[in-house]
Amino acid sequence: MSQPDVFEYLLRLADDRLVLGHRVSEWCGHAPILEEDIALANIALDLIGQANLLLTAAGAAEGKGRDADALAFLRDELDYRNALIVELPKGDFGFTLTRQFLFSAHALVLTDALRSSKNTELGGLADKMHKESRYHVRHSGDWMLRIGDGTEESHQRAQAAVNELWRYTGELFMADDIERRLAAQGIAVDSSKLETPWRAQVDDVLKRAGLTVPSVAWMQRGGRQGRHTEHLGHLLAEMQTLQRQHPGASW
Amino acid sequence: MQPGSGEAHQHVGSVHAADAEQALQNARDVYARRGEGINIWVVPSDSITASTPEDMGPFFDPGNDKAYRHPQFYKVPRGVRL
């Protein structure tokens, strides 16, 4: 049975993780120290692994025979449903870790709530994602304290990252009709209800890191409807090139 | 790294870190990615006092010719199952 709302919702969850996983993987071989190189590659693999499972579930909900590969590699930019925050270029190490912290803190409260989803498959996936998110928050939150409360330069870079990223956080908490319909059925979570617990967590870490939250008049949006920044197309071009040039190629 | 419940910790490697928490995370990321264990200890290298290669002789050689320190002369009583 085709479940268009569930398909759309799973795509959003999956695309956030697939795109961010790809972004974080760009650090592989380039991180400041070997240990952090492996740590970031681990996080990237966690996220891509989550995306793989979510896309498989999304393909099943769509009911048109598309598997995770078809959804990841043969969809165009306009059909991607990720929030804008995950597609921004990786920036410097401070930017990457700040985004990771803001995103992972969101993933933590989201997956915690989704564990009791009436869609038992999604509930099970949320349980696995929650475990991984706990480590991502611990790792990236720890780095927030180090770079925010480190040297003058590291502090400046961390604060610049918070200033740049903050306007992209609002999109994570914008619920729409699809989500509200699913929330009413106990399948999804109304994103707007996640902002308060997320904010408490983020404020605590930023405060201890000596960082301040900028006042932002307009929260960027559009990713959930397929309106993306200029950066996603480039990312997809790189990620999809193999399947586009050699359709059906396997490892 | 403790490979399993009830087993002794074993040395698996070394990491660079600014403090204990970072060392613990780095050890987890570098050495516990494939289900290698259930518990990690990290110890700062300057807290380890080690014997040196020059100690080899005086430390370990005297044991070699004292076979009676090994338990092979002890006969296992009948009825005791190994």
Side-chain angles (χ1 to χ4, degrees):
Chain A
M1 190 184 77
S2 172
Q3 303 167 283
D5 281 357
V6 175
F7 171 63
E8 183 72 20
Y9 186 68
L10 290 173
L11 267 193
R12 295 173 184 178
L13 294 175
D15 288 350
D16 280 354
R17 284 149 186 83
L18 180 61
V19 172
L20 184 58
H22 189 86
R23 274 288 180 241
V24 176
S25 79
E26 291 171 358
W27 280 99
C28 191
H30 299 279
I33 55 168
L34 180 142
E35 288 85 346
E36 190 55 30
D37 202 284
I38 298 175
L40 286 173
N42 280 346
I43 291 176
L45 282 173
D46 284 349
L47 292 169
I48 291 168
Q50 294 175 5
N52 186 18
L53 296 169
L54 288 162
L55 286 174
T56 303
E62 186 192 32
K64 291 183 185 166
R66 288 203 279 183
D67 62 6
D69 282 344
L71 289 168
F73 297 122
L74 302 174
R75 256 184 316 145
D76 288 325
E77 193 182 336
L78 286 171
D79 298 320
Y80 263 77
R81 292 290 178 263
N82 57 281
L84 302 178
I85 189 169
V86 296
E87 70 197 45
L88 302 175
K90 74 183 197 300
D92 61 16
F93 186 66
F95 187 89
T96 284
L97 265 299
T98 303
R99 167 170 55 195
Q100 194 63 49
F101 173 66
L102 296 173
F103 178 84
S104 295
H106 172 262
L108 191 70
V109 290
L110 172 66
T111 54
D112 187 37
L114 280 178
R115 286 196 282 191
S116 52
S117 169
K118 292 228 170 84
N119 180 321
T120 49
E121 189 181 6
L122 178 56
L125 290 178
D127 203 41
K128 173 187 161 55
M129 292 193 285
H130 187 71
K131 231 179 263 174
E132 294 175 345
S133 301
R134 272 173 59 191
Y135 187 73
H136 300 169
V137 168
R138 178 168 169 177
H139 188 77
S140 57
D142 199 50
W143 272 111
M144 291 310 295
L145 302 183
R146 290 176 197 283
I147 53 182
D149 193 20
T151 65
E152 197 177 318
E153 184 181 359
S154 76
H155 173 81
Q156 277 170 10
R157 284 176 184 247
Q159 186 61 58
V162 173
N163 293 347
E164 171 66 19
L165 283 160
W166 199 258
R167 78 192 72 161
Y168 293 96
T169 57
E171 192 178 18
L172 297 171
F173 306 104
M174 290 174 192
D176 66 354
D177 288 341
I178 292 173
E179 205 178 276
R180 280 188 284 267
R181 277 199 296 272
L182 289 174
Q185 299 167 55
I187 294 172
V189 177
D190 183 337
S191 291
S192 60
K193 301 210 167 104
L194 299 174
E195 187 161 9
T196 308
W198 174 82
R199 188 64 199 264
Q201 201 182 170
V202 167
D203 279 350
D204 172 56
V205 171
L206 292 188
K207 192 173 159 212
R208 283 190 287 136
L211 298 165
T212 51
V213 171
S215 61
V216 171
W218 167 259
M219 284 291 183
Q220 298 292 334
R221 62 196 69 181
R224 304 284 187 224
Q225 289 78 40
R227 295 194 309 275
H228 291 282
T229 67
E230 63 192 290
H231 307 295
L232 182 65
H234 295 284
L235 181 150
L236 293 182
E238 187 183 328
M239 191 178 85
Q240 298 180 336
T241 178
L242 192 106
Q243 277 300 323
R244 299 285 193 186
Q245 287 181 37
H246 306 279
S250 63
W251 193 248
Chain B
M1 179 79 66
Q2 188 181 23
S5 185
E7 295 185 67
H9 285 71
Q10 292 174 358
H11 181 256
V12 291
S14 54
V15 293
H16 289 98
D19 59 26
E21 168 64 20
Q22 196 181 48
L24 197 57
Q25 290 184 20
N26 287 347
R28 179 267 187 196
D29 284 318
V30 177
Y31 295 109
R33 291 185 295 163
R34 302 181 185 90
E36 287 93 336
I38 58 164
N39 189 265
I40 300 174
W41 289 350
V42 289
V43 179
S45 55
D46 61 7
S47 293
I48 295 173
T49 308
S51 65
T52 65
E54 293 81 63
D55 293 332
M56 278 280 277
F59 265 48
F60 307 114
D61 280 354
N64 289 346
D65 58 352
K66 297 179 183 65
Y68 50 82
R69 285 181 176 165
H70 296 280
Q72 69 262 40
F73 303 108
Y74 176 76
K75 288 212 167 29
V76 179
R78 274 164 41 181
V80 175
R81 296 177 65 92
L82 290 177

